[in-house]
Amino acid sequence: MSEELTPEKELDARGLQCPMPVVKTSQEIKNVSVGGILKVMATDPGSMADITAWCKSTGNELVKMEQGEGVFVFFIRRTN
Amino acid sequence: MSENGTKRASIVVFSGDMDRVMAAFIIATTAAAMGMETSMFFTFWGLQAIKKKKGTGKGLFGRMLSMFLKDIDGVGPSKLNMGGMGRWMFKKMMKDKGVTSLPELRQMAIDMGVKLLACQMSMDVMEIDREDLIDEVADVVGAATYVLEAQQADITLFI
């Protein structure tokens, strides 16, 4: 299971404010193959709701969301 | 919605206030990031957001107006501008907090394929030529073009 979450790409969006975490995620996901995982790190608390909304709108799958020491980590699977 | 099923957003930018233009570009870049075909229709004061930093106008009034028109880096906030101090303060506060600047947001929108449209009629009134606008403006159009865009859009905003 953890094998499956090995990210193909990582995006460091720490320090970026709305809307940049979502904008950068939308650009970086294009560099991930379909089925691959993009790991996104962000410090913007709004990204919790926003990355979730982005996944919902684009159809990509938010596999896991973690929170630790002011950093939010997202594992997104590219689905299309 | 587009014929291929893609959702669409269409934003009228009437205001030339820094804060409002900022909101417009934040929503436009986000809509594009969320997979929507996005267009922005700049009219009246909003033309400043796509204007080059140069003087405009031919007649006396046009040239007088030009003295009050800014480019995207020069527009001031709708409140507390205080002769430019507010613009400076907001720019500094946003920079300190890692908020992307307005010129960068516009570039981001362009890079993401947001279509920038300029209003022909307000350009005529304000004596702003196509050459006075940035090259990335896709087209100079009228209200009917916007209404058609809006008819097909899933989100329309007037800012």
Side-chain angles (χ1 to χ4, degrees):
Chain A
M1 193 65 192
S2 59
E3 183 90 2
E4 215 183 320
L5 283 184
T6 310
E8 196 177 308
K9 291 268 176 195
E10 286 193 20
L11 171 66
D12 187 357
R14 287 177 293 185
L16 296 179
Q17 293 268 24
C18 174
M20 283 305 142
V22 160
V23 168
K24 298 271 183 198
T25 299
S26 76
Q27 290 174 327
E28 194 61 31
I29 198 88
K30 295 191 184 109
N31 300 322
V32 176
S33 49
V34 173
I37 298 281
L38 171 66
K39 177 182 174 185
V40 180
M41 287 168 291
T43 46
D44 171 23
S47 64
M48 293 264 280
D50 281 8
I51 297 280
T52 309
W54 178 82
C55 286
K56 213 169 184 175
S57 174
T58 57
N60 292 292
E61 184 194 351
L62 181 57
V63 185
K64 199 163 93 173
M65 187 159 68
E66 288 173 348
Q67 189 180 348
E69 308 211 5
V71 183
F72 305 96
V73 186
F74 306 88
F75 294 85
I76 302 162
R77 191 192 311 279
R78 182 174 176 185
T79 53
N80 50 46
Chain B
M1 203 177 283
S2 291
E3 282 165 23
N4 63 8
T6 309
K7 289 195 173 178
R8 294 173 72 158
S10 180
I11 302 172
V12 178
V13 186
F14 178 88
S15 171
D17 294 332
M18 172 206 229
D19 37 15
R20 293 192 171 102
V21 172
M22 186 117 191
F25 275 106
I26 287 174
I27 295 169
T29 49
T30 305
M34 292 175 86
M36 300 181 81
E37 270 175 36
T38 308
S39 65
M40 300 174 86
F41 182 78
F42 295 87
T43 182
F44 231 84
W45 305 114
L47 287 171
Q48 294 172 102
I50 50 170
K51 198 176 93 37
K52 289 177 188 161
K53 189 173 183 173
K54 68 195 276 276
T56 54
K58 295 179 192 71
L60 174 64
F61 292 143
R63 277 177 287 153
M64 269 170 60
L65 177 65
S66 170
M67 292 193 289
F68 299 94
L69 294 179
K70 314 282 187 195
D71 68 335
I72 194 157
D73 201 37
V75 289
S78 58
K79 291 189 198 310
L80 304 174
N81 192 22
M82 301 175 290
M85 263 170 56
R87 179 178 75 239
W88 176 83
M89 184 192 77
F90 275 118
K91 271 186 176 174
K92 177 153 176 44
M93 287 178 78
M94 289 194 274
K95 194 177 176 199
D96 291 347
K97 290 172 177 68
V99 175
T100 308
S101 74
L102 198 37
E104 286 171 320
L105 269 176
R106 184 181 70 187
Q107 190 55 51
M108 189 65 82
I110 291 164
D111 294 345
M112 298 179 80
V114 173
K115 190 165 66 173
L116 308 181
L117 300 169
C119 167
Q120 178 73 66
M121 190 272 274
S122 39
M123 284 169 67
D124 288 347
V125 171
M126 296 166 97
E127 300 182 9
I128 296 172
D129 294 330
R130 174 64 186 87
E131 305 82 69
D132 299 326
L133 302 178
I134 58 170
D135 298 340
E136 291 87 346
V137 170
D139 211 351
V140 177
V141 299
T145 307
Y146 165 71
V147 171
L148 182 62
E149 290 266 336
Q151 277 178 2
Q152 296 166 344
D154 301 85
I155 296 176
T156 56
L157 293 172
F158 186 96
I159 297 177

